[in-house]
Structures are given as structure tokens and as C-alpha cells.
Amino acid sequence: MCGHPHAHTHTQEHSEAGHIGAPWSCIFEGSPVLELNVGGELYTTTVGTLRKLPGSKLAEMFSSSAKAYTDAEGRFFIDRPGTYFGPILDYLRSEQLPTHHILEVYREAQFYEIKPLVKLLEDTPQIFGEQVARKQFLLRVPGYSENLELMVRLARAEAVAARSSAVLVCAVRTEEDAVLCADALRVLEAEKRSVVKFGPWKAAPQVKDLLDCVKMDITAQGYQVHYEQFSERTLRAKHFGYFYTFVFIWW
């Protein structure tokens, strides 16, 4: 038997999100207007808006066969970041595109599988630059993600009772540059110096572009970091353009 959407019966099961109630087919027999709790943010919308794109994950979440999750107040609950759900609703209501937090809305549109919105956002300068330009470049840098992880591990290992940590990086754009740096790398290895080597890569961006990407991606993990040219006497002047120190600031 179908009941009111805000009435909890003894047959309901408890979950971390709140309650699992009756199927949506029962709930929708009442009002088509819904109150939603999306990650703690409250929204009011209609069944038609949520089901506007058949085949999307959002429409499936509110299909007649899906179970309804509710919070303690009886509002329908979605365990996602609520801040960026508003722009999703705005697009479904009137095809309005977001003007702020483009990347965050893009991720949510991907999660809810709002494919027309995903496509439109991919054409914006913010997403196009990140997805098509920068990320495609980094895919051409061998071991980029692994090197970032190694840099963080090395920095954290040196952080005990220290205000900062320094990680030495070698960045070579071409095979010729790699040959030129081979002797310097051997000298540093003999001195037991850890060096994280990037490159060579087959793409137009220069060494500074790579270093900016490294700084950007490590900063995005919550670290305070900057880089400077490495110029110790250990190396010859001709090698200075390939070696850089990334400084992690802890306090």
C-alpha cells in the first residue's frame, strides 16, 4: 500500500543516509513537487524536472522502480555535494548554463549523466583548457602521476621537525636534453641525492609549462609548494636549466 512521502512506517529500513522508504511510484501518487536534501543543501523541484532526461542517472534515481532515501525530516536524500546541484536543476529547468564553479558543476553533471550539459561544459574555455589542452599534454609526459606521488612521499619523509622540505626535480623536454643531463644525474646519484625525473615528452609545452603543471597539481592536493632553479656547485652551469627544487612549506 502506498503512503504519504513524509510518513515513515514500521516497515522502513534504516541506512546511513536516513531511511529507505516506499518505491517512487507510490510517493509520486501525491504531489509532483519534491523537497530534496542534497548533501545538506535543500532544494524544491518537480518529478518532471528530475526525469527530464530519460536514461540519465538522475532520472533513474527517481524512476518508479527506485527506492526513496529520506532524511530525518522526510526529505528525499542524495548523498552528493549539494552546492553544485542547483546549477544542475537550473539547466534541467531552463537550459541555463552555470557561470561559476564550472569544473565542480562539470563533475556533478558527469556523475548524474546529464550528457547535454556535460557536452556544453566541455566547450567552455575552463573545461576545454583543462581536459583537452593541459591533460592531453600531461598524458604525453611518461610517469607524470607516479612522479607526483613520489615527490610528495619524498617531501613528507623529510618533514620531521622541519619547517620545509626540498625535492629535487630534473625536467628534460627532448631526448637530446636527457643525454646532456645524464652525467649530472650520475653525479647526484653518487652523492645519494634523490632526483625525480620528468621527460622527455613529445608535445609543444616547454619545461616551465611542465613545472607549472606540477606545482598546480600538488597545490590542488592541499600542499603549499613553490619551485626555484637548482644552482648548487655540484652541477655545471649548462645543467642549471634542467634542475629545479620544489619547496614544500609545512608551517
Side-chain angles (χ1 to χ4, degrees):
M1 180 177 176
C2 298
H4 189 275
H6 294 279
H8 299 297
T9 69
H10 66 280
T11 61
Q12 292 175 330
E13 302 172 9
H14 290 272
S15 72
E16 291 182 2
H19 301 83
I20 303 176
W24 290 111
S25 57
C26 294
I27 292 172
F28 295 155
E29 287 182 0
S31 170
V33 176
L34 301 179
E35 288 185 13
L36 303 180
N37 176 345
V38 185
E41 298 281 339
L42 306 182
Y43 294 94
T44 301
T45 187
T46 66
V47 178
T49 296
L50 297 169
R51 291 178 172 178
K52 187 171 183 178
L53 293 177
S56 68
K57 182 181 289 188
L58 184 62
E60 178 61 28
M61 290 167 67
F62 291 89
S63 67
S64 58
S65 60
K67 291 288 186 179
Y69 290 80
T70 60
D71 65 12
E73 301 298 323
R75 291 179 289 252
F76 308 117
F77 182 80
I78 301 176
D79 193 13
R80 292 292 295 180
T83 304
Y84 313 117
F85 189 71
I88 300 291
L89 283 182
D90 289 339
Y91 175 76
L92 292 174
R93 289 165 174 156
S94 59
E95 299 187 355
Q96 177 181 332
L97 292 180
T99 56
H100 296 45
H101 306 294
I102 303 296
L103 184 57
E104 292 82 0
V105 176
Y106 175 70
R107 291 178 183 141
E108 292 306 293
Q110 287 180 308
F111 173 79
Y112 292 113
E113 298 177 0
I114 312 298
K115 293 180 181 179
L117 178 56
V118 168
K119 178 67 171 62
L120 289 168
L121 291 176
E122 285 177 345
D123 288 335
T124 63
Q126 298 94 322
I127 304 300
F128 182 88
E130 173 67 16
Q131 299 295 326
V132 178
R134 196 178 83 92
K135 283 197 173 178
Q136 288 301 312
F137 159 54
L138 296 178
L139 288 174
R140 290 164 170 75
V141 180
Y144 179 79
S145 297
E146 293 80 359
N147 279 349
L148 289 187
E149 294 175 5
L150 176 58
M151 288 178 66
V152 170
R153 287 202 302 271
L154 290 172
R156 292 173 71 95
E158 294 184 4
V160 179
R163 184 166 188 177
S164 64
S165 304
V167 177
L168 185 56
V169 166
C170 174
V172 291
R173 180 172 174 267
T174 67
E175 295 287 352
E176 292 78 8
D177 293 336
V179 172
L180 287 173
C181 288
D183 288 341
L185 286 169
R186 281 192 287 269
V187 169
L188 291 167
E189 183 179 343
E191 295 181 350
K192 308 296 184 184
R193 300 287 296 270
S194 297
V195 183
V196 180
K197 181 174 176 288
F198 288 89
W201 58 85
K202 295 181 179 179
Q206 303 296 311
V207 166
K208 185 180 185 305
D209 300 317
L210 173 79
L211 299 174
D212 287 342
C213 286
V214 171
K215 180 179 183 295
M216 183 186 307
D217 289 332
I218 291 178
T219 300
Q221 297 180 39
Y223 295 97
Q224 183 180 346
V225 65
H226 67 269
Y227 67 86
E228 55 198 36
Q229 197 165 51
F230 180 78
S231 58
E232 291 186 12
R233 293 181 180 178
T234 304
L235 301 181
R236 296 178 182 177
K238 68 178 182 179
H239 295 137
F240 289 168
Y242 303 114
F243 289 87
Y244 296 83
T245 301
F246 275 77
V247 181
F248 289 71
I249 307 298
W250 301 113
W251 52 276

